Amino acid sequence: MSGPFASTIAQSLLVKLGTFAGQEFCLAWGLEADIARLEKRLSAIAAVLSDAEQKQSKNDKIRFWLNDLREVLYDAEDVLDEIECETLRRQVVKTKGSTSRNVRRFFSSSNMIKFRSKMGHKIKKIIERLAEISSLKSEFNLSEQAIDRSHVLHEETEMNRSFESFSGLIGRDKDKELIINLLAAPSKVGDAHPFVLPIVGMGGLGKTSLAKSVCDAENVKSHFELKMEVCVSDDFSLKQVIQKIIKSATGERCADLDVGELEKKLEEILNGRKYLLLLDDVWNEDAQKWLLLKSLLSKGADGSKVIVTTRSQRVADIMGTVAAYNLSLLGQEDCLSLFYKCAFKEGQMELYPNLVGIGKQIVAKCKQVPLAVINLGTQLYGKTDETEWKSVRDSEKWEDEGDGILPALKISYQRLPTHLKRCFLYCSVFPKDIKFADLELVQFWMAHGLILQSSNPNEKLEDIGLRYVRELISRCFFQDYLHGWFGASFKMHDLMHDLASSLAQNEFLIISSRNHQISKTTRHLTVLDSDSFFHQTVPKFPNNFHHVRSIVFADSVVGPTCKTDFKKCISEFKHLRSLELTNGSEFEAFPEKIGALKHLRYLNFGTSAKLKRLPKSIFKLQNLQALVTGEGLEELPKDVRYMISLRFLYLTTQQKRLPEGGIGCLECLQTLFIAYCENLEDLCEDMQGLKSLRKLVIYRCNSLISLPRSIKCLTTLEEFGISECRKLDLMTIQEEKKGKIQPLSLSLSLRIVIFDDLPSTIALPEQFLQGSAESLQTFIINKCQKIREMPECIGNLKKLQNLEISDCPSLNKRCRKETGEDWPKVAHIPKINVDGDDSGEETSHSGSSGTPSAREEDKSAFVGVSTDGYN
């Protein structure tokens, strides 16, 4: 992978080197001169990288030169990270205040001289390597150009534009009607059970969109008691497919059930029920695997039907009980309509007839593949410069082999800003069909230094990362977008995943039963088969792991052998930045050696229910920025306070109370999710120590009784949500004295507040809301049946733009337009959405709330992270 990596790595390094200059630790260790020399040498090379990256496709020598440079830049990143790690470690040791012999030795001058000598030697070697590489650049006649800063200057595309916005099944009405007729036809004696209809076609034709549209049609749904949708993708694992079907039917993940238990559960779900099942993106050509699943599906009632989408006629022959429906290319006129819809703003076509003509030529090159049409259309959206349109039409990428789709996707990729290219390629480390959560993905990008600080020093990296996500969604690099209250989820089309994998193939590697080799240039690993990894890759290539920066275990780390091997090899990943395990991990206690991974920034235990304890050594990870605990964790120890770089924490614990001196000491924490803590009754009382907290979400903590009063001290908090906490009374955060609420002068920064499904809450916390009078913009109240009235302070919330009330009978009545008793309190709010009573009446004025209805929320998006694992 040559790509744009060298320039973005160089840019990131220069930013870091700039922050190092004048730092106390650099002066103390005598590294300032070394850092300055490294910065000077790197700046000279960085100036020509933009030109080099543009020319590499036609010059192999430049491409190899960039590859060599990239390796040196990675090593430079490792050295700077090591200096940061040592600085953070000294900071933690110092705060512990111990005067033991070990601590005195740690801070001794001899120890500091030793570290300075080691780092100085490494920096010198890197400068020498850069000098050697720099001496070659004159051979390539490269010109100096300004470093690409489009991450600062780029203009965001409209966020409501995404793949689903454009497809609209243009030109597929007849296909949809024919398939619906096949499904709606009554069953006859002798018909195969279940009925299986394959939809076959090349990638990018819209098979999935068509199939989902059919399944959602009212005249189809009315025929079935149960509707399920599952994406199967490359690996047809019976266990995983059954888990996905069960989750689609019931919402249960069943991560801890074995195959036998899963089969029994599926039989119980389907028994006697007439169902419609969509098996999307099937590749399995092993008839025996299908027959095992088919025998389970036969437990449903007569008339049950299965739709299968696939690119393979062989798959259709194996699975189908009727002739496959072959989806054809989209008609040329429909392709033009689709392209113009994507590329032009409303009313713009008539103003630019020259662009309409160029667009017609571009569409002709897409060879009637809708995904290609959509992607190129979105790249040109709002652009009126004829030169840009011609650059797409005349791109050399059209000469690449392909059926129209791959060249078109490469052109779309080529037009991405440099910073987005690298973010997109890094998504290929995750398996196909994963449901991304925006907040998690941003943390993953941050762990690898992919998010660059903007010209606004006050803008947080998390916000910049979310802007990156929105850009990739609006450019159709992501799809199936679902926006929730505190986050969004989305997927990557499998062809997009193929594109990213092909462009990233030199550094990104998938370990499977068919491929278990790893090279010394491999930086990112996706493990689809743990047995192959531990029993073949690790023993055969023991020296090739030192440069690996990320590992995603997409299957289970199961069995005693795998667990033992994992414990042995984990310390070999010396420069690991991110580690993610799935819900199949069988560790009850994670290996202590994890404490040696001092570069680790992102650690995600997925939805593992078996991990009971975190290793003590984990709290030595002073660089860790994001931690997602498993669902079985018994407690989060107070030592979490030593994770001084932690910015994102998703916590599930069996504790009754969060102790003081733990989470409350995390001064860098920006995002805190507390979810699925069924035993939790009280939060820690020292939350005032969370001096950087911006987002706090509490979800499904049904034993939670009260909130600490210190929550009112979170002056940086911008987003606050509580959902499905059955015993919680929000009034516990009010200050009371002798039974009376005391007036307080609070200064809060809340922009979004959401109270959802809180049946024990009898009133809204007036002081808390009043404290955000100058900042609160969105307020949502859902399923809080005991709240009887709006507090007086609601009239003081002058910045409030959106108010949504649903399933709150008394509030619904009191806030109705003109007639409600509380209408004068809320009438100043521009957008109000209030449910009616049982009649379903809805009251609104000045448009809708612009916020998804509480009843339509995707709960995984509410809690901000993916709750699916990879199953």
Side-chain angles (χ1 to χ4, degrees):
M1 172 185 49
S2 304
F5 279 49
S7 62
T8 52
I9 298 171
Q11 189 174 347
S12 179
L13 274 171
L14 286 171
V15 170
K16 183 170 285 190
L17 287 166
T19 62
F20 272 31
Q23 289 288 330
E24 182 182 345
F25 61 83
C26 282
L27 295 171
W29 287 332
L31 291 172
E32 192 173 31
D34 294 328
I35 294 293
R37 283 195 297 272
L38 177 57
E39 185 175 11
K40 182 178 180 181
R41 178 64 68 182
L42 184 57
S43 296
I45 295 178
V48 301
L49 289 184
S50 180
D51 188 37
E53 287 172 348
Q54 291 174 26
K55 293 178 177 178
Q56 64 174 316
S57 62
K58 296 182 179 180
N59 190 323
D60 285 343
K61 288 185 178 180
I62 294 180
R63 181 163 53 86
F64 294 141
W65 181 78
L66 285 171
N67 286 340
D68 292 340
L69 173 61
R70 190 180 64 246
E71 294 301 311
V72 180
L73 296 180
Y74 276 142
D75 290 343
E77 277 189 331
D78 290 340
V79 172
L80 296 186
D81 279 357
E82 198 164 342
I83 294 172
E84 281 190 314
C85 289
E86 186 68 10
T87 304
L88 291 170
R89 191 160 72 100
R90 287 173 177 270
Q91 184 179 331
V92 168
V93 172
K94 197 172 183 178
T95 58
K96 290 182 178 180
S98 173
T99 57
S100 68
R101 180 181 300 175
N102 288 339
V103 172
R104 289 197 300 272
R105 186 183 301 120
F106 180 71
F107 284 105
S108 68
S109 59
S110 61
N111 194 27
M112 292 182 70
I113 291 171
K114 182 180 178 182
F115 181 77
R116 181 258 177 274
S117 176
K118 179 182 176 183
M119 292 298 103
H121 178 72
K122 287 187 176 183
I123 293 174
K124 182 181 178 182
K125 286 289 187 185
I126 287 171
I127 292 173
E128 290 173 354
R129 292 166 66 192
L130 284 175
E132 183 180 348
I133 288 173
S134 182
S135 67
L136 298 174
K137 73 176 189 287
S138 59
E139 298 179 13
F140 307 132
N141 193 28
L142 300 174
S143 58
E144 294 188 1
Q145 296 180 12
I147 296 175
D148 177 14
R149 300 190 182 277
S150 56
H151 67 285
V152 178
L153 303 174
H154 81 280
E155 196 173 306
E156 281 194 43
T157 314
E158 291 180 24
M159 195 38 226
N160 62 350
R161 295 170 55 82
S162 62
F163 184 85
E164 285 72 26
S165 305
F166 304 128
S167 59
L169 292 180
I170 289 177
R172 297 298 189 193
D173 291 342
K174 184 177 180 181
D175 296 299
K176 182 176 178 179
E177 182 183 353
L178 290 172
I179 293 172
I180 287 176
N181 289 339
L182 286 170
L183 293 176
S187 301
K188 300 187 292 291
V189 176
D191 281 355
H193 178 63
F195 171 99
V196 181
L197 172 64
I199 301 176
V200 184
M202 61 181 287
L205 288 183
K207 298 183 296 297
T208 300
S209 296
L210 175 61
K212 287 185 175 183
S213 177
V214 167
C215 292
D216 290 337
E218 287 300 326
N219 56 341
V220 172
K221 288 194 294 186
S222 61
H223 289 276
F224 300 96
E225 183 181 351
L226 180 64
K227 182 172 79 77
M228 300 163 288
E229 294 182 6
V230 167
C231 184
V232 179
S233 201
D234 294 3
D235 183 21
F236 193 100
S237 160
L238 182 64
K239 179 179 179 180
Q240 291 190 7
V241 173
I242 295 174
Q243 284 176 322
K244 289 180 180 182
I245 294 173
I246 292 173
K247 188 174 188 305
S248 180
T250 68
E252 299 176 68
R253 284 189 296 273
C254 303
D256 297 328
L257 301 185
D258 60 29
V259 174
E261 293 168 325
L262 288 168
E263 290 177 353
K264 183 178 179 182
K265 187 170 185 66
L266 181 58
E267 288 182 7
E268 292 171 354
I269 293 169
L270 300 181
N271 188 32
R273 301 175 76 182
K274 187 179 177 182
Y275 66 81
L276 175 63
L277 170 64
L278 169 59
L279 294 176
D280 185 38
D281 194 26
V282 181
W283 290 82
N284 170 60
E285 295 185 355
D286 184 338
Q288 291 303 313
K289 288 184 178 181
W290 162 241
L291 290 175
L292 289 172
L293 178 61
K294 185 179 179 181
S295 67
L296 298 172
L297 298 179
S298 66
K299 304 299 179 182
D302 289 342
S304 295
K305 298 186 178 179
V306 179
I307 299 176
V308 175
T309 67
T310 180
R311 296 188 214 173
S312 167
Q313 185 61 50
R314 170 69 176 154
V315 170
D317 293 340
I318 290 171
M319 299 180 68
T321 60
V322 294
Y325 189 91
N326 288 287
L327 192 60
S328 61
L329 297 170
L330 191 63
Q332 192 67 23
E333 289 303 314
D334 291 321
C335 284
L336 281 171
S337 298
L338 182 58
F339 179 83
Y340 295 148
K341 182 180 178 183
C342 296
F344 288 108
K345 294 182 178 180
E346 188 173 352
Q348 199 177 43
M349 273 183 65
E350 294 77 10
L351 301 176
Y352 299 97
N354 57 326
L355 298 184
V356 172
I358 298 171
K360 189 172 184 179
Q361 293 171 322
I362 292 172
V363 169
K365 294 189 174 188
C366 291
K367 299 183 179 178
Q368 300 176 263
V369 180
L371 183 61
V373 172
I374 290 170
N375 271 271
L376 290 181
T378 59
Q379 298 305 309
L380 295 169
Y381 175 72
K383 302 286 195 318
T384 57
D385 184 351
E386 189 173 309
T387 304
E388 287 204 57
W389 285 62
K390 287 181 177 179
S391 71
V392 171
R393 182 195 65 188
D394 301 333
S395 171
E396 62 185 23
K397 295 296 180 183
W398 291 115
E399 298 174 11
D400 293 355
E401 290 185 11
D403 46 23
I405 181 63
L406 195 56
L409 297 186
K410 285 183 178 179
I411 293 171
S412 294
Y413 169 79
Q414 196 175 38
R415 293 179 58 82
L416 283 178
T418 301
H419 63 283
L420 291 184
K421 286 178 179 175
R422 197 175 178 201
C423 289
F424 169 67
L425 295 189
Y426 266 64
C427 292
S428 66
V429 76
F430 296 99
K432 285 185 178 181
D433 188 45
I434 180 179
K435 181 188 283 187
F436 290 101
D438 59 354
L439 299 179
E440 275 187 347
L441 183 58
V442 166
Q443 292 297 324
F444 174 78
W445 285 342
M446 287 172 59
H448 293 280
L450 307 187
I451 299 176
L452 304 178
Q453 184 62 57
S454 71
S455 57
N456 178 4
N458 296 320
E459 188 174 23
K460 304 297 183 185
L461 292 178
E462 286 84 352
D463 295 332
I464 298 171
L466 289 173
R467 196 168 72 231
Y468 288 9
V469 169
R470 291 195 296 271
E471 272 291 308
L472 287 168
I473 289 172
S474 65
R475 294 169 184 263
C476 295
F477 281 82
F478 295 137
Q479 62 178 54
D480 293 348
Y481 173 77
L482 282 174
H483 189 274
W485 282 325
F486 288 104
S489 65
F490 44 87
K491 291 184 178 182
M492 182 185 287
H493 193 284
D494 57 348
L495 285 174
M496 282 295 188
H497 194 283
D498 291 343
L499 173 67
S501 298
S502 68
L503 293 169
Q505 59 186 346
N506 292 336
E507 290 190 8
F508 290 70
L509 181 68
I510 296 175
I511 301 292
S512 65
S513 58
R514 298 186 297 273
N515 177 44
H516 54 265
Q517 297 189 25
I518 178 174
S519 73
K520 290 185 178 180
T521 61
T522 298
R523 301 277 174 174
H524 307 277
L525 283 176
T526 307
V527 180
L528 300 180
D529 188 317
S530 294
D531 283 331
S532 293
F533 179 66
F534 290 116
H535 300 151
Q536 297 184 63
T537 307
V538 173
K540 290 183 179 179
F541 307 96
N543 300 317
N544 290 0
F545 297 109
H546 300 326
H547 296 299
V548 171
R549 294 186 167 210
S550 69
I551 307 178
V552 173
F553 284 96
D555 81 335
S556 308
V557 181
V558 298
T561 307
C562 284
K563 288 195 290 183
T564 301
D565 292 337
F566 188 74
K567 290 177 182 178
K568 289 179 181 177
C569 76
I570 188 171
S571 58
E572 296 298 319
F573 299 96
K574 295 179 180 179
H575 294 105
L576 201 65
R577 264 69 170 180
S578 65
L579 173 62
E580 181 155 354
L581 292 96
T582 68
N583 56 7
S585 170
E586 290 195 354
F587 286 107
E588 291 189 9
F590 208 68
E592 284 289 341
K593 287 185 178 180
I594 193 173
L597 305 180
K598 59 184 178 181
H599 294 278
L600 198 64
R601 290 178 168 84
Y602 176 88
L603 178 57
N604 190 336
F605 290 107
T607 55
S608 173
K610 293 192 175 182
L611 185 67
K612 305 298 182 185
R613 301 176 302 282
L614 295 177
K616 292 181 180 179
S617 67
I618 199 173
F619 303 111
K620 295 180 181 179
L621 300 176
Q622 275 85 48
N623 249 341
L624 197 69
Q625 296 176 354
L627 173 63
V628 179
T629 67
E631 294 185 359
L633 192 67
E634 292 178 350
E635 69 169 315
L636 183 69
K638 291 170 65 174
D639 283 354
V640 70
R641 66 184 182 274
Y642 297 128
M643 291 179 164
I644 58 175
S645 299
L646 204 62
R647 301 170 70 105
F648 179 98
L649 175 61
Y650 181 93
L651 173 65
T652 300
T653 176
Q654 297 177 24
Q655 292 164 275
K656 283 191 174 183
R657 178 184 175 84
L658 297 181
E660 295 181 25
I663 289 178
C665 299
L666 297 173
E667 294 187 3
C668 288
L669 195 66
Q670 306 230 357
T671 303
L672 174 59
F673 289 94
I674 302 173
Y676 301 101
C677 303
E678 292 298 325
N679 300 325
L680 191 65
E681 297 177 358
D682 297 290
L683 307 184
C684 52
E685 285 290 345
D686 57 348
M687 295 191 75
Q688 68 274 8
L690 300 175
K691 297 178 181 179
S692 303
L693 195 66
R694 300 168 62 219
K695 187 191 300 279
L696 173 61
V697 177
I698 305 169
Y699 179 61
R700 285 195 185 177
C701 298
N702 283 318
S703 298
L704 189 64
I705 300 170
S706 62
L707 297 177
R709 291 191 173 98
S710 60
I711 208 168
K712 298 192 298 293
C713 300
L714 299 177
T715 56
T716 59
L717 193 64
E718 298 176 4
E719 300 178 29
F720 181 42
I722 309 178
S723 177
E724 296 187 38
C725 297
R726 311 284 180 181
K727 296 182 180 180
L728 177 64
D729 183 2
L730 290 173
M731 291 301 289
T732 56
I733 59 177
Q734 300 272 51
E735 285 289 343
E736 295 188 27
K737 188 174 182 180
K738 294 183 180 180
K740 295 184 179 180
I741 296 177
Q742 301 300 304
L744 285 178
S745 178
L746 298 177
S747 179
L748 303 177
S749 306
L750 288 166
R751 292 186 299 103
I752 301 173
V753 173
I754 296 172
F755 298 140
D756 170 52
D757 203 355
L758 306 176
S760 297
T761 289
I762 59 175
L764 295 169
E766 188 165 358
Q767 297 169 352
F768 196 67
L769 297 171
Q770 179 65 51
S772 299
E774 299 301 318
S775 59
L776 191 61
Q777 298 173 18
T778 297
F779 188 22
I780 297 175
I781 312 164
N782 178 54
K783 292 185 180 179
C784 298
Q785 289 88 348
K786 290 186 179 180
I787 297 178
R788 300 188 59 82
E789 63 179 343
M790 276 291 182
E792 291 295 332
C793 73
I794 204 78
N796 300 327
L797 305 181
K798 302 303 182 185
K799 296 290 182 68
L800 191 59
Q801 299 294 309
N802 303 306
L803 174 65
E804 180 175 326
I805 304 170
S806 57
D807 295 330
C808 304
S810 181
L811 276 185
N812 291 347
K813 183 177 180 181
R814 293 179 65 95
C815 292
R816 282 182 182 161
K817 186 177 181 180
E818 307 295 351
T819 61
E821 293 178 61
D822 286 342
W823 178 253
K825 299 178 185 178
V826 301
H828 66 286
I829 302 170
K831 298 176 183 177
I832 300 178
N833 192 310
V834 181
D835 269 2
D837 50 26
D838 292 341
S839 67
E841 177 186 349
E842 183 172 277
T843 302
S844 63
H845 74 105
S846 297
S848 62
S849 69
T851 305
S853 166
R855 296 179 302 279
E856 298 170 349
E857 283 302 310
D858 174 35
K859 289 297 185 182
S860 67
F862 178 90
V863 297
V865 297
S866 172
T867 57
D868 287 345
Y870 299 124
N871 288 335

